[in-house]
Amino acid sequence: MSQQAIPNKLSEQYIDLASERLGGETLSCSDDFFAEMENLLKAGRGIFIDDKYTERGKWMDGWESRRSYGRDNGRDHDWCIIRLGVPGVIKGFDVDTNFFRGNAPQTVSIEGCHSAQQPGADTQWFSLLADSPVEAHSQNLFEIDNVQCCTHVRLNIFPDGGVARFRVYGEAQVDWQQFLPGELIDLAYVKNGGRSLLVSDMFFSDKNNLIMPGRGKDMGDGWETKRRRDPGPDWNIVKLGHIGSINKVIVDTHHFKGNFPDTFTLEGTMNDSQACIDGSAKWQTIIPRNKLYAHREHVFIDEIADPKAHFTHIRLNIFPDGGVSRLRTFGYRKED
């Protein structure tokens, strides 16, 4: 049986920089005798199958090391090194011990580094979270005060045990030197620093699905609102990764066949995030109201009102409600 993740400020305000869907990966660990380290970054909270065993013992949906019993090699804890899918400034963690009831670690600590290479013996790690107690079968949430950009983290568990899932919440830091001058960039894309800031509703699925990599794998992998009984619209405000123009837009209703929006508009603003949240931001039309269709990529170029205007945030309005798999907003970054 799986369990729903609890809503929390970290998941609402930040993205999971270590997410497998963003390219996060486990690189190495001290020991994963009972359950593989790769499980740490999978979606969901993990499941439990009562009568499932392997030749090594009970099957567990997480990372689990063997009992240490004071090992002869002198190691007093187990560890796992994770490469973040998106480098960024980390603001918190979720160390989820779901279904690890009698085999959770007693405490954890977490370190970070910024390295262009895979971490090795000479890597200089810095502390992100000091040794902290964790509860069994629980989401253990830790908010931290950090300003350093990380590419990798190391999860340390004391003295041993199992963790079902590990989330690393923060803000993406984009190296704009990796883009060519004048390159057309999806400024709303999560790996380019985009982030869904605020939505009218996300009853069926998360607001940030709208700007995730690839096309949605199913209807749950998009942004979908509940049914309205008024003309709408529902809306999703996205903070762009960089100030820039909007020159090409793709609205993808992939998998939404009976619940796609009837029409949409796209608006933009040059403002700070707080103004977008409190409602004081002034919005201007990027794309006027246009028809949408089921299970289709819709491309808009000529419909863009002012391809030279610059924006910090965009707002997708869907009438009256429904689901959109992905939104791509290609434009040119304003030079700093």
Side-chain angles (χ1 to χ4, degrees), residues 5-87:
I6 61 173
N8 64 81
K9 183 171 70 171
L10 292 172
S11 62
E12 291 172 356
Q13 292 188 355
Y14 305 109
I15 64 168
D16 179 8
L17 301 171
S19 170
E20 188 177 53
R21 71 194 301 201
L22 295 185
E25 61 176 327
T26 51
L27 298 180
S28 59
C29 68
S30 57
D31 182 88
D32 58 356
F33 183 87
F34 286 114
E36 298 81 6
M37 63 181 180
E38 288 82 4
N39 293 330
L40 275 177
L41 307 184
K42 288 182 178 178
R45 294 195 60 202
I47 63 173
F48 185 83
I49 302 175
D50 186 61
D51 58 353
K52 185 172 182 178
Y53 287 82
T54 73
E55 62 181 11
R56 292 191 170 190
K58 182 71 185 74
W59 179 89
M60 293 296 290
D61 188 12
W63 166 50
E64 185 182 3
S65 65
R66 74 191 85 192
R67 301 191 191 210
S68 58
Y69 296 126
R71 296 174 186 166
D72 293 337
N73 60 18
R75 188 170 68 244
D76 65 350
H77 69 282
D78 283 304
W79 52 263
C80 182
I81 295 175
I82 294 111
R83 184 182 71 84
L84 301 180
V86 184

Coordinates of all heavy atoms in Angstrom, one line a residue, residues 5-87:
A5 N 1.9 11.8 -0.1 CA 2.8 12.7 0.5 C 2.0 13.9 1.1 O 1.0 14.3 0.6 CB 3.8 13.3 -0.5
I6 N 2.4 14.3 2.3 CA 1.7 15.4 3.0 C 2.1 16.7 2.3 O 3.2 16.9 1.9 CB 2.1 15.4 4.5 CG1 3.6 15.7 4.7 CG2 1.6 14.2 5.2 CD1 3.9 15.9 6.2
P7 N 1.1 17.6 2.2 CA 1.4 19.0 1.6 C 2.4 19.7 2.6 O 2.3 19.6 3.8 CB 0.1 19.7 1.6 CG -0.9 18.6 1.7 CD -0.3 17.5 2.5
N8 N 3.4 20.4 2.1 CA 4.3 21.1 2.9 C 4.8 22.3 2.2 O 4.8 22.4 0.9 CB 5.4 20.2 3.4 CG 6.3 19.7 2.3 OD1 7.2 20.4 1.8 ND2 6.0 18.4 1.8
K9 N 5.4 23.2 2.9 CA 5.9 24.5 2.4 C 7.0 24.2 1.4 O 7.1 24.9 0.4 CB 6.3 25.4 3.5 CG 6.8 26.8 3.0 CD 7.0 27.7 4.2 CE 8.2 27.3 5.0 NZ 8.6 28.4 6.0
L10 N 7.8 23.3 1.7 CA 9.0 23.0 0.8 C 8.5 22.6 -0.6 O 9.0 23.1 -1.6 CB 9.9 21.9 1.4 CG 10.6 22.3 2.7 CD1 11.3 21.2 3.3 CD2 11.6 23.5 2.4
S11 N 7.6 21.6 -0.7 CA 7.2 21.1 -2.0 C 6.3 22.2 -2.7 O 6.2 22.1 -3.9 CB 6.4 19.8 -1.8 OG 5.2 20.0 -1.0
E12 N 5.7 23.1 -2.0 CA 4.8 24.1 -2.6 C 5.7 25.2 -3.2 O 5.3 25.8 -4.2 CB 3.8 24.6 -1.6 CG 2.7 23.5 -1.3 CD 1.8 24.0 -0.1 OE1 2.1 25.1 0.4 OE2 0.9 23.3 0.2
Q13 N 6.8 25.6 -2.5 CA 7.6 26.7 -2.9 C 8.7 26.4 -3.8 O 9.2 27.3 -4.5 CB 8.1 27.5 -1.6 CG 7.0 28.1 -0.8 CD 7.5 29.0 0.3 OE1 8.7 29.0 0.5 NE2 6.6 29.7 1.0
Y14 N 9.2 25.2 -3.7 CA 10.5 24.8 -4.4 C 10.3 23.6 -5.3 O 9.2 22.9 -5.2 CB 11.6 24.6 -3.4 CG 11.8 25.8 -2.4 CD1 11.5 25.7 -1.1 CD2 12.4 27.0 -2.9 CE1 11.7 26.7 -0.2 CE2 12.5 28.0 -2.0 CZ 12.2 27.9 -0.7 OH 12.4 29.0 0.2
I15 N 11.3 23.3 -6.1 CA 11.3 22.1 -6.8 C 12.2 21.0 -6.2 O 13.2 21.4 -5.5 CB 11.6 22.3 -8.3 CG1 13.1 22.8 -8.4 CG2 10.7 23.3 -9.0 CD1 13.6 22.8 -9.9
D16 N 12.0 19.8 -6.5 CA 12.9 18.7 -6.1 C 14.1 18.6 -7.0 O 14.0 18.0 -8.1 CB 12.1 17.4 -6.0 CG 13.0 16.2 -5.6 OD1 14.2 16.5 -5.1 OD2 12.5 15.1 -5.6
L17 N 15.2 19.2 -6.6 CA 16.4 19.3 -7.5 C 17.0 17.9 -7.8 O 17.6 17.7 -8.8 CB 17.4 20.1 -6.9 CG 17.0 21.6 -6.6 CD1 18.1 22.3 -5.8 CD2 16.8 22.4 -7.9
A18 N 16.7 16.9 -6.9 CA 17.2 15.6 -7.1 C 16.3 14.6 -7.8 O 16.6 13.4 -8.0 CB 17.6 15.0 -5.7
S19 N 15.1 15.1 -8.3 CA 14.1 14.3 -8.9 C 14.7 13.5 -10.1 O 15.4 14.0 -10.9 CB 13.0 15.1 -9.4 OG 12.1 14.4 -10.2
E20 N 14.3 12.2 -10.1 CA 14.7 11.3 -11.2 C 14.3 11.8 -12.5 O 15.0 11.7 -13.5 CB 14.2 9.9 -10.9 CG 14.7 8.8 -11.8 CD 14.1 7.5 -11.4 OE1 12.9 7.3 -11.3 OE2 15.0 6.5 -11.2
R21 N 13.1 12.4 -12.6 CA 12.5 12.9 -13.8 C 13.3 14.2 -14.3 O 13.2 14.5 -15.5 CB 11.1 13.3 -13.7 CG 10.7 14.5 -12.8 CD 9.3 14.5 -12.4 NE 8.4 14.6 -13.6 CZ 7.2 15.1 -13.5 NH1 6.7 15.5 -12.3 NH2 6.4 15.1 -14.5
L22 N 14.1 14.8 -13.4 CA 14.9 15.9 -13.9 C 16.3 15.5 -14.1 O 17.2 16.3 -14.5 CB 14.9 17.0 -12.8 CG 13.6 17.7 -12.5 CD1 13.8 18.9 -11.5 CD2 13.0 18.3 -13.8
G23 N 16.6 14.2 -14.0 CA 18.0 13.7 -14.3 C 18.8 13.4 -13.1 O 20.0 13.1 -13.2
G24 N 18.2 13.5 -11.9 CA 18.9 13.2 -10.6 C 19.2 11.7 -10.6 O 18.5 10.9 -11.1
E25 N 20.4 11.4 -10.0 CA 20.8 10.0 -10.0 C 21.6 9.7 -8.7 O 22.4 10.6 -8.3 CB 21.5 9.6 -11.2 CG 22.8 10.3 -11.5 CD 23.5 9.8 -12.7 OE1 23.5 8.6 -13.0 OE2 24.2 10.6 -13.4
T26 N 21.5 8.5 -8.2 CA 22.4 8.0 -7.1 C 23.6 7.5 -7.8 O 23.6 6.7 -8.7 CB 21.7 6.9 -6.3 OG1 21.2 5.9 -7.2 CG2 20.5 7.5 -5.5
L27 N 24.8 8.0 -7.3 CA 26.1 7.6 -7.9 C 26.8 6.4 -7.2 O 27.3 5.6 -7.8 CB 27.0 8.8 -7.9 CG 26.5 10.0 -8.7 CD1 27.6 11.1 -8.6 CD2 26.3 9.6 -10.2
S28 N 26.8 6.5 -5.9 CA 27.5 5.5 -5.1 C 26.9 5.5 -3.7 O 26.3 6.5 -3.2 CB 29.0 5.7 -5.1 OG 29.3 7.0 -4.5
C29 N 27.2 4.4 -2.9 CA 26.8 4.3 -1.5 C 27.7 3.3 -0.8 O 28.4 2.6 -1.4 CB 25.3 3.9 -1.4 SG 25.0 2.2 -1.9
S30 N 27.7 3.4 0.5 CA 28.5 2.5 1.3 C 28.0 1.1 1.3 O 28.8 0.2 1.3 CB 28.5 3.1 2.8 OG 27.2 3.1 3.3
D31 N 26.7 0.9 1.2 CA 26.1 -0.4 1.3 C 24.6 -0.3 0.9 O 23.9 0.6 1.3 CB 26.2 -1.0 2.7 CG 25.7 -2.4 2.8 OD1 26.5 -3.3 2.6 OD2 24.5 -2.5 3.1
D32 N 24.2 -1.2 0.0 CA 22.7 -1.3 -0.2 C 22.3 -2.8 -0.4 O 21.7 -3.2 -1.3 CB 22.3 -0.5 -1.5 CG 23.0 -0.9 -2.7 OD1 23.9 -1.7 -2.7 OD2 22.6 -0.3 -3.8
F33 N 22.7 -3.5 0.7 CA 22.5 -5.0 0.7 C 21.1 -5.4 0.5 O 20.7 -6.3 -0.2 CB 23.1 -5.5 2.0 CG 23.0 -7.0 2.1 CD1 24.1 -7.8 1.6 CD2 22.0 -7.7 2.7 CE1 24.0 -9.2 1.7 CE2 21.9 -9.1 2.8 CZ 23.0 -9.8 2.3
F34 N 20.2 -4.7 1.3 CA 18.8 -5.2 1.3 C 17.9 -4.5 0.2 O 17.0 -5.1 -0.4 CB 18.1 -4.9 2.6 CG 18.6 -5.8 3.7 CD1 19.3 -5.4 4.8 CD2 18.2 -7.2 3.6 CE1 19.7 -6.2 5.8 CE2 18.6 -8.0 4.6 CZ 19.4 -7.6 5.7
A35 N 18.2 -3.2 -0.1 CA 17.4 -2.5 -1.1 C 18.3 -1.4 -1.8 O 19.0 -0.7 -1.1 CB 16.2 -1.8 -0.4
E36 N 18.1 -1.3 -3.1 CA 19.0 -0.5 -3.9 C 18.9 0.9 -3.7 O 17.8 1.5 -3.6 CB 18.8 -0.9 -5.4 CG 19.1 -2.3 -5.8 CD 17.9 -3.2 -5.5 OE1 16.8 -2.7 -5.0 OE2 18.1 -4.5 -5.7
M37 N 20.0 1.6 -3.8 CA 20.0 3.1 -3.6 C 19.2 3.8 -4.7 O 18.7 4.9 -4.4 CB 21.5 3.6 -3.7 CG 22.2 3.4 -5.0 SD 23.9 4.0 -5.0 CE 24.4 3.6 -6.7
E38 N 19.0 3.2 -5.9 CA 18.3 3.9 -6.9 C 16.8 4.2 -6.5 O 16.2 5.1 -7.1 CB 18.3 3.1 -8.2 CG 19.6 3.0 -8.9 CD 20.6 2.0 -8.3 OE1 20.3 1.3 -7.4 OE2 21.8 2.0 -8.8
N39 N 16.3 3.4 -5.6 CA 14.9 3.6 -5.1 C 14.7 5.0 -4.5 O 13.6 5.5 -4.5 CB 14.5 2.5 -4.2 CG 14.4 1.2 -4.8 OD1 14.1 1.0 -6.0 ND2 14.7 0.1 -4.0
L40 N 15.8 5.6 -3.9 CA 15.7 6.8 -3.2 C 15.0 7.9 -4.0 O 14.2 8.7 -3.4 CB 17.0 7.3 -2.8 CG 17.7 6.8 -1.5 CD1 19.1 7.3 -1.3 CD2 16.8 7.1 -0.3
L41 N 15.2 8.0 -5.3 CA 14.8 9.1 -6.1 C 13.5 8.8 -6.9 O 13.1 9.7 -7.7 CB 15.9 9.6 -7.0 CG 17.3 9.9 -6.3 CD1 18.2 10.5 -7.3 CD2 17.1 10.9 -5.1
K42 N 13.0 7.7 -6.8 CA 11.8 7.3 -7.5 C 10.6 8.2 -7.1 O 10.5 8.8 -6.0 CB 11.4 5.8 -7.4 CG 12.4 4.9 -8.1 CD 12.0 3.5 -7.9 CE 13.0 2.6 -8.7 NZ 12.6 1.1 -8.5
A43 N 9.6 8.2 -8.0 CA 8.3 9.0 -7.7 C 7.6 8.3 -6.5 O 7.8 7.1 -6.2 CB 7.5 9.0 -8.9
G44 N 6.7 9.1 -5.9 CA 5.8 8.5 -4.9 C 6.6 8.4 -3.5 O 7.7 8.8 -3.4
R45 N 5.9 7.7 -2.6 CA 6.5 7.5 -1.3 C 6.9 6.1 -1.0 O 7.4 5.8 0.0 CB 5.4 7.9 -0.2 CG 5.1 9.4 -0.2 CD 4.4 9.7 1.1 NE 5.2 9.5 2.3 CZ 4.8 9.3 3.5 NH1 3.5 9.3 3.7 NH2 5.6 9.0 4.5
G46 N 6.8 5.3 -2.0 CA 7.2 3.9 -1.8 C 6.0 3.0 -1.4 O 5.0 3.5 -0.9
I47 N 6.1 1.7 -1.6 CA 5.1 0.8 -1.3 C 5.6 -0.3 -0.4 O 6.8 -0.4 -0.2 CB 4.4 0.2 -2.6 CG1 5.5 -0.6 -3.4 CG2 3.9 1.3 -3.5 CD1 5.0 -1.4 -4.5
F48 N 4.6 -1.1 0.1 CA 5.0 -2.2 1.0 C 4.2 -3.4 0.5 O 3.0 -3.3 0.4 CB 4.7 -1.9 2.4 CG 5.2 -3.0 3.4 CD1 6.5 -3.1 3.8 CD2 4.3 -4.0 3.8 CE1 6.9 -4.1 4.7 CE2 4.7 -5.0 4.7 CZ 6.0 -5.0 5.1
I49 N 4.9 -4.5 0.2 CA 4.2 -5.8 -0.2 C 4.6 -6.8 0.9 O 5.7 -7.2 1.1 CB 4.7 -6.3 -1.5 CG1 4.4 -5.2 -2.6 CG2 4.0 -7.6 -1.9 CD1 5.0 -5.5 -4.0
D50 N 3.5 -7.2 1.6 CA 3.7 -7.9 2.9 C 4.5 -9.2 2.7 O 5.4 -9.5 3.5 CB 2.3 -8.3 3.5 CG 2.4 -8.9 4.9 OD1 3.0 -8.2 5.8 OD2 2.0 -10.0 5.0
D51 N 4.2 -10.0 1.7 CA 4.9 -11.3 1.6 C 5.9 -11.4 0.5 O 6.3 -12.5 0.0 CB 3.8 -12.4 1.3 CG 3.0 -12.1 0.0 OD1 3.2 -11.0 -0.5 OD2 2.2 -12.9 -0.4
K52 N 6.5 -10.2 0.1 CA 7.5 -10.2 -0.9 C 8.9 -10.3 -0.3 O 9.3 -9.4 0.5 CB 7.4 -9.0 -1.8 CG 8.4 -9.0 -3.0 CD 8.1 -7.9 -4.0 CE 9.0 -7.9 -5.2 NZ 8.7 -6.9 -6.2
Y53 N 9.7 -11.3 -0.7 CA 11.1 -11.4 -0.2 C 12.0 -11.7 -1.3 O 11.6 -12.1 -2.4 CB 11.2 -12.6 0.8 CG 10.5 -12.3 2.1 CD1 9.2 -12.5 2.3 CD2 11.3 -11.9 3.2 CE1 8.6 -12.2 3.5 CE2 10.7 -11.6 4.5 CZ 9.3 -11.8 4.6 OH 8.8 -11.5 5.8
T54 N 13.3 -11.4 -1.1 CA 14.4 -11.7 -2.1 C 15.3 -12.7 -1.4 O 15.1 -13.0 -0.2 CB 15.1 -10.5 -2.5 OG1 16.0 -10.0 -1.4 CG2 14.2 -9.3 -2.9
E55 N 16.3 -13.1 -2.1 CA 17.3 -14.1 -1.5 C 18.1 -13.4 -0.4 O 18.7 -14.1 0.4 CB 18.2 -14.6 -2.5 CG 19.1 -13.6 -3.2 CD 20.0 -14.2 -4.3 OE1 19.8 -15.4 -4.6 OE2 20.9 -13.5 -4.7
R56 N 18.0 -12.1 -0.3 CA 18.8 -11.3 0.8 C 17.9 -10.9 1.9 O 18.4 -10.4 2.9 CB 19.4 -10.1 0.2 CG 20.6 -10.4 -0.8 CD 21.4 -9.2 -1.1 NE 22.6 -9.6 -1.9 CZ 23.6 -8.8 -2.2 NH1 23.5 -7.5 -1.8 NH2 24.6 -9.2 -2.8
G57 N 16.6 -11.2 1.8 CA 15.7 -10.8 2.9 C 14.4 -10.1 2.4 O 14.0 -10.3 1.3
K58 N 13.8 -9.3 3.3 CA 12.6 -8.7 3.0 C 12.8 -7.6 1.9 O 13.7 -6.8 2.0 CB 12.0 -8.0 4.2 CG 10.7 -7.3 4.0 CD 9.6 -8.3 3.8 CE 8.2 -7.6 3.4 NZ 8.2 -7.1 2.1
W59 N 11.9 -7.7 0.8 CA 12.0 -6.7 -0.2 C 11.4 -5.4 0.3 O 10.4 -5.3 0.9 CB 11.1 -7.1 -1.4 CG 11.1 -6.1 -2.5 CD1 11.9 -6.0 -3.6 CD2 10.1 -5.1 -2.7 NE1 11.6 -5.0 -4.4 CE2 10.5 -4.4 -3.9 CE3 9.0 -4.7 -2.0 CZ2 9.7 -3.3 -4.4 CZ3 8.3 -3.6 -2.5 CH2 8.6 -2.9 -3.6
M60 N 12.2 -4.3 0.1 CA 11.8 -3.0 0.6 C 11.9 -2.0 -0.5 O 12.9 -2.0 -1.3 CB 12.6 -2.5 1.8 CG 12.4 -3.4 3.0 SD 10.7 -3.2 3.7 CE 10.7 -1.6 4.3
D61 N 11.0 -1.1 -0.6 CA 11.0 0.0 -1.7 C 11.7 1.2 -1.2 O 11.0 2.2 -0.8 CB 9.5 0.3 -2.1 CG 9.4 1.2 -3.3 OD1 10.5 1.4 -4.0 OD2 8.3 1.7 -3.6
G62 N 13.0 1.2 -1.1 CA 13.8 2.3 -0.7 C 15.2 1.8 -0.7 O 15.6 0.9 -1.4
W63 N 16.1 2.6 0.0 CA 17.5 2.2 0.1 C 17.7 1.7 1.5 O 17.4 2.3 2.5 CB 18.4 3.5 -0.1 CG 19.8 3.3 0.3 CD1 20.6 2.3 0.0 CD2 20.6 4.2 1.2 NE1 21.9 2.4 0.6 CE2 21.9 3.6 1.3 CE3 20.3 5.4 1.8 CZ2 22.9 4.2 2.1 CZ3 21.3 6.0 2.6 CH2 22.6 5.4 2.7
E64 N 18.2 0.5 1.6 CA 18.4 -0.1 3.0 C 19.8 -0.8 3.0 O 20.1 -1.7 2.2 CB 17.3 -1.1 3.3 CG 17.4 -1.6 4.7 CD 16.4 -2.6 5.1 OE1 15.5 -3.0 4.2 OE2 16.3 -3.1 6.3
S65 N 20.6 -0.5 4.0 CA 21.9 -1.1 4.3 C 21.7 -2.2 5.3 O 20.7 -2.3 6.0 CB 22.9 -0.1 4.8 OG 22.5 0.4 6.0
R66 N 22.7 -3.1 5.3 CA 22.6 -4.2 6.3 C 22.9 -3.6 7.7 O 23.4 -2.5 7.9 CB 23.6 -5.3 5.9 CG 25.1 -4.9 6.2 CD 26.0 -5.9 5.5 NE 26.2 -5.6 4.1 CZ 26.8 -6.4 3.2 NH1 27.2 -7.6 3.6 NH2 27.0 -6.0 2.0
R67 N 22.7 -4.4 8.7 CA 23.0 -4.1 10.1 C 24.5 -4.0 10.3 O 25.2 -4.9 9.9 CB 22.4 -5.0 11.1 CG 20.8 -5.2 11.0 CD 20.2 -5.9 12.1 NE 18.8 -6.3 11.8 CZ 17.9 -6.4 12.7 NH1 18.2 -6.3 14.0 NH2 16.7 -6.7 12.4
S68 N 24.9 -2.9 11.0 CA 26.4 -2.7 11.0 C 27.1 -3.5 12.1 O 28.2 -4.0 11.9 CB 26.7 -1.2 11.2 OG 26.0 -0.7 12.4
Y69 N 26.5 -3.5 13.3 CA 27.1 -4.2 14.5 C 28.5 -3.7 14.8 O 29.4 -4.5 15.1 CB 27.1 -5.7 14.2 CG 25.7 -6.3 14.2 CD1 25.4 -7.1 13.1 CD2 24.8 -6.2 15.2 CE1 24.1 -7.7 13.0 CE2 23.6 -6.8 15.1 CZ 23.2 -7.5 14.0 OH 22.0 -8.1 13.9
G70 N 28.9 -2.5 14.5 CA 30.2 -2.0 14.8 C 31.2 -2.6 13.9 O 32.0 -3.4 14.3
R71 N 31.2 -2.2 12.6 CA 32.0 -2.9 11.6 C 33.5 -2.7 11.8 O 33.9 -1.7 12.4 CB 31.6 -2.3 10.2 CG 30.2 -2.6 9.8 CD 29.8 -1.9 8.5 NE 28.4 -2.1 8.2 CZ 27.8 -1.4 7.3 NH1 28.4 -0.4 6.7 NH2 26.5 -1.6 7.1
D72 N 34.2 -3.7 11.4 CA 35.7 -3.7 11.6 C 36.3 -2.6 10.8 O 37.5 -2.2 11.2 CB 36.2 -5.1 11.2 CG 35.8 -6.2 12.1 OD1 35.4 -5.9 13.3 OD2 35.8 -7.4 11.7
N73 N 35.7 -2.1 9.8 CA 36.4 -1.1 9.0 C 36.3 0.3 9.6 O 36.8 1.3 9.1 CB 35.8 -1.0 7.5 CG 34.3 -0.7 7.6 OD1 33.7 -0.3 8.5 ND2 33.6 -1.0 6.4
G74 N 35.6 0.4 10.7 CA 35.6 1.6 11.5 C 34.6 2.6 11.0 O 34.4 3.7 11.6
R75 N 33.8 2.3 10.0 CA 32.7 3.2 9.5 C 31.6 3.2 10.5 O 31.0 2.2 10.8 CB 32.3 2.8 8.1 CG 31.4 3.9 7.5 CD 31.1 3.6 6.0 NE 30.3 2.3 5.8 CZ 30.8 1.3 5.2 NH1 32.0 1.2 4.7 NH2 30.0 0.2 5.0
D76 N 31.2 4.4 11.0 CA 30.1 4.5 12.0 C 28.8 4.8 11.4 O 27.8 5.0 12.1 CB 30.5 5.5 13.0 CG 30.6 7.0 12.5 OD1 30.5 7.1 11.3 OD2 30.7 7.9 13.3
H77 N 28.7 4.9 10.0 CA 27.4 5.2 9.4 C 27.5 4.8 7.9 O 28.5 4.5 7.4 CB 27.2 6.8 9.5 CG 28.1 7.6 8.6 ND1 29.4 7.9 9.0 CD2 28.0 8.2 7.4 CE1 30.0 8.6 8.1 NE2 29.1 8.8 7.1
D78 N 26.3 4.8 7.3 CA 26.2 4.6 5.9 C 25.9 5.9 5.1 O 25.5 6.8 5.7 CB 25.1 3.5 5.6 CG 25.6 2.1 5.9 OD1 26.6 1.7 5.3 OD2 24.9 1.4 6.7
W79 N 26.2 5.9 3.8 CA 26.1 7.1 3.1 C 25.7 6.8 1.6 O 25.9 5.7 1.1 CB 27.4 7.9 3.1 CG 28.6 7.2 2.7 CD1 29.5 6.6 3.6 CD2 29.1 6.8 1.4 NE1 30.5 5.9 2.9 CE2 30.3 6.1 1.5 CE3 28.6 7.2 0.1 CZ2 31.0 5.6 0.4 CZ3 29.3 6.7 -1.0 CH2 30.5 5.9 -0.8
C80 N 25.1 7.8 1.0 CA 24.8 7.7 -0.4 C 25.0 9.1 -1.1 O 24.6 10.1 -0.6 CB 23.3 7.3 -0.6 SG 22.8 7.1 -2.4
I81 N 25.7 9.1 -2.2 CA 26.0 10.3 -3.0 C 25.0 10.4 -4.1 O 24.8 9.5 -4.9 CB 27.4 10.3 -3.5 CG1 28.4 10.4 -2.3 CG2 27.7 11.5 -4.4 CD1 29.9 10.3 -2.7
I82 N 24.4 11.6 -4.2 CA 23.4 11.9 -5.3 C 23.8 13.0 -6.1 O 24.2 14.1 -5.6 CB 22.0 12.2 -4.6 CG1 21.5 10.9 -3.9 CG2 21.0 12.7 -5.7 CD1 21.5 11.1 -2.4
R83 N 23.8 12.9 -7.4 CA 24.0 14.0 -8.4 C 22.6 14.6 -8.6 O 21.7 14.0 -9.0 CB 24.6 13.5 -9.7 CG 24.9 14.7 -10.7 CD 25.4 14.2 -12.0 NE 24.4 13.5 -12.8 CZ 23.6 14.1 -13.6 NH1 23.6 15.5 -13.7 NH2 22.6 13.5 -14.3
L84 N 22.5 15.9 -8.4 CA 21.3 16.6 -8.6 C 21.0 16.7 -10.1 O 21.9 16.9 -10.9 CB 21.3 18.0 -8.0 CG 21.6 18.1 -6.5 CD1 21.7 19.6 -6.1 CD2 20.6 17.4 -5.7
G85 N 19.7 16.6 -10.4 CA 19.3 16.7 -11.8 C 19.4 18.1 -12.3 O 19.7 18.4 -13.5
V86 N 19.3 19.1 -11.4 CA 19.4 20.5 -11.7 C 20.3 21.1 -10.5 O 19.9 21.0 -9.4 CB 18.1 21.2 -11.7 CG1 18.3 22.7 -12.1 CG2 17.1 20.5 -12.7
P87 N 21.5 21.7 -10.8 CA 22.2 22.4 -9.8 C 21.4 23.5 -9.2 O 20.6 24.2 -9.9 CB 23.4 23.0 -10.5 CG 23.5 22.1 -11.8 CD 22.1 21.8 -12.2

